[in-house]
Amino acid sequence: MRDAIAETAGNEVFFLGHTDGTGFVTSVEPLARGNRDMVAAIVVTTSCGDVVIHNHPSGNLTPSQADIEIASILGNQGVGFIIIDNRAERSYIAVTPFIPQELHKLDYPDIESFYAREGILASSLKGYEFREEQIRMAFLATEAFNEDKIALIEAGTGTGKSLAYLFPAVLWAARNKERIVISTNTINLQEQLIRKDIPLIQRHSGINFKAVLVKGRSNYICKRKVLGIHQEPALFQDEFAEELKAILAWSEKTVEGCRNDLSFLPRQETWEELCCEADQCSRIKCPHYAGCVFLWCPKGCGERRPAGGKSCPAYGRRGCQTGSRL
């Protein structure tokens, strides 16, 4: 590192370091060279357990605001962040190198036992139908988890696709203490998973896990926008007027403020006039901040709703019955 810095006449150099699995840096390679004040942060090649290192020519190793921002992003990806002087003799460890977690791979016999003709599902569900294609799909999902691969699977109606990937996903999450994100293309499948398939896995798999339904900001009504339309109703006297009127009436009595609670599916153009949007949210400066259905638990227990509209953290306490329906 000292030689690489000297070759740039003492300017900043951005290094990628690799660790031995215990947090000790064993090798480094320069990825970018800058000037006396800054250097490009090349993070596309980093992975969990790596560490990025760069020098401060001034000798002051205190992280700058830019350093802290990049360190935060990398730290959330399992990458350490270290600042050194030009002689590579002093260092400031802004983010300690992470020790990669040992992964526990899934066993194919365990997966097969869940779907087999005399397996867990067959003994638990009356009228269970064994499907060879379902096991094949479950094995492909298992292989993707074990080998850190991407699996692209196409299967026909009746295969039981949801259960085919759910059990390997749940087993992987439990064994490796990781979170699994399942993204659906339709609300109908989302509801099927949270109301039917996941509870079935919870009842019959013998695995203790929790699942929550996460909805994006745009699914929630914005009270500031509602007030704006009430104050300027003449601006919406067109084909959207009746639909807007129905949504406004619903907004006065809804508790959760989620689009799914509407008795009809509004047109996207209409809903966009009333939904929460990140670029238009003034957060604490908004006069409706304390009653925002996106930011706060709608049951009035005083808890802040986690990012993404997940379960209220006070569920089961202080009388809050919101739970995973958020």
Side-chain angles (χ1 to χ4, degrees), residues 10-67:
N11 288 321
E12 286 198 24
V13 181
F14 187 89
F15 299 91
L16 173 62
H18 304 286
T19 64
D20 61 359
T22 65
F24 186 80
V25 180
T26 56
S27 63
V28 296
E29 56 180 314
L31 295 184
R33 298 160 181 83
N35 56 32
R36 302 288 296 182
D37 301 314
M38 63 186 68
V39 65
I42 309 300
V43 299
V44 67
T45 59
T46 58
S47 58
C48 184
D50 287 341
V51 58
V52 296
I53 306 169
H54 80 284
N55 59 306
H56 278 187
S58 66
N60 180 1
L61 305 188
T62 302
S64 65
Q65 182 64 36
D67 287 335

Side-chain angles (χ1 to χ4, degrees), residues 12-326:
E12 286 198 24
V13 181
F14 187 89
F15 299 91
L16 173 62
H18 304 286
T19 64
D20 61 359
T22 65
F24 186 80
V25 180
T26 56
S27 63
V28 296
E29 56 180 314
L31 295 184
R33 298 160 181 83
N35 56 32
R36 302 288 296 182
D37 301 314
M38 63 186 68
V39 65
I42 309 300
V43 299
V44 67
T45 59
T46 58
S47 58
C48 184
D50 287 341
V51 58
V52 296
I53 306 169
H54 80 284
N55 59 306
H56 278 187
S58 66
N60 180 1
L61 305 188
T62 302
S64 65
Q65 182 64 36
D67 287 335
I68 293 174
E69 291 175 359
I70 295 173
S72 297
I73 295 172
L74 291 172
N76 286 315
Q77 299 174 3
V79 178
F81 193 93
I82 299 176
I83 303 170
I84 62 173
D85 66 348
N86 278 13
R87 294 288 299 166
E89 295 174 342
R90 295 184 298 119
S91 65
Y92 183 97
I93 303 176
V95 178
T96 303
F98 290 79
I99 299 175
Q101 177 183 346
E102 181 183 357
L103 295 179
H104 301 279
K105 293 188 176 182
L106 305 181
D107 298 319
Y108 289 93
D110 290 342
I111 301 299
E112 185 176 15
S113 68
F114 188 74
Y115 305 94
R117 285 186 172 87
E118 298 180 357
I120 297 173
L121 283 180
S123 61
S124 304
L125 299 178
K126 184 178 180 180
Y128 172 72
E129 179 184 349
F130 170 77
R131 302 165 187 175
E132 185 69 37
E133 294 82 359
Q134 189 177 52
I135 286 188
R136 288 171 56 197
M137 181 175 171
F139 282 171
L140 287 172
T142 299
E143 181 183 356
F145 280 115
N146 283 346
E147 306 301 328
D148 193 22
K149 294 181 177 179
I150 295 176
L152 180 61
I153 304 170
E154 183 177 6
T157 302
T159 301
K161 295 185 287 292
S162 297
L163 290 181
Y165 65 72
L166 274 178
F167 180 67
V170 167
L171 192 58
W172 177 269
R175 287 188 177 178
N176 293 287
K177 295 180 172 58
E178 290 186 353
R179 294 175 179 173
I180 301 294
V181 176
I182 299 172
S183 176
T184 67
N185 185 49
T186 65
I187 296 296
N188 288 340
L189 179 54
Q190 170 185 287
E191 295 295 327
Q192 175 190 317
L193 289 172
I194 201 68
R195 297 181 185 277
K196 178 183 176 182
D197 297 331
I198 291 177
L200 187 150
I201 297 288
Q202 286 175 320
R203 289 194 302 270
H204 302 298
S205 68
I207 304 172
N208 183 25
F209 70 96
K210 182 176 71 172
V212 295
L213 177 60
V214 182
K215 299 178 183 178
R217 175 189 291 266
S218 63
N219 284 279
Y220 293 89
I221 197 82
C222 173
K223 293 187 176 182
R224 181 187 59 78
K225 287 186 176 182
V226 168
L227 179 61
I229 291 178
H230 274 304
Q231 293 175 340
E232 299 288 344
L235 296 177
F236 301 96
Q237 297 300 318
D238 52 22
E239 67 271 21
F240 304 124
E242 289 302 316
E243 204 168 49
L244 276 170
K245 183 178 179 181
I247 296 175
L248 290 175
W250 163 81
S251 70
E252 295 177 355
K253 57 184 179 182
T254 181
V255 175
E256 294 186 11
C258 182
R259 175 170 53 178
N260 286 4
D261 294 340
L262 278 167
S263 59
F264 63 95
L265 182 63
R267 285 176 288 190
Q268 187 63 28
E269 300 93 328
T270 307
W271 184 250
E272 286 176 354
E273 298 291 343
L274 292 162
C275 70
C276 292
E277 294 179 287
D279 59 346
Q280 296 187 29
C281 181
S282 53
R283 298 182 66 81
I284 197 170
K285 296 180 181 179
C286 177
H288 306 283
Y289 175 76
C292 178
V293 294
F294 175 75
L295 293 175
W296 297 92
C297 173
K299 300 301 183 182
C301 66
E303 284 283 359
R304 185 181 180 85
R305 185 202 299 271
K310 294 188 289 187
S311 304
C312 172
Y315 179 51
R317 298 182 285 115
R318 285 185 274 175
C320 180
Q321 298 298 314
T322 301
S324 63
R325 292 188 63 243
L326 290 181

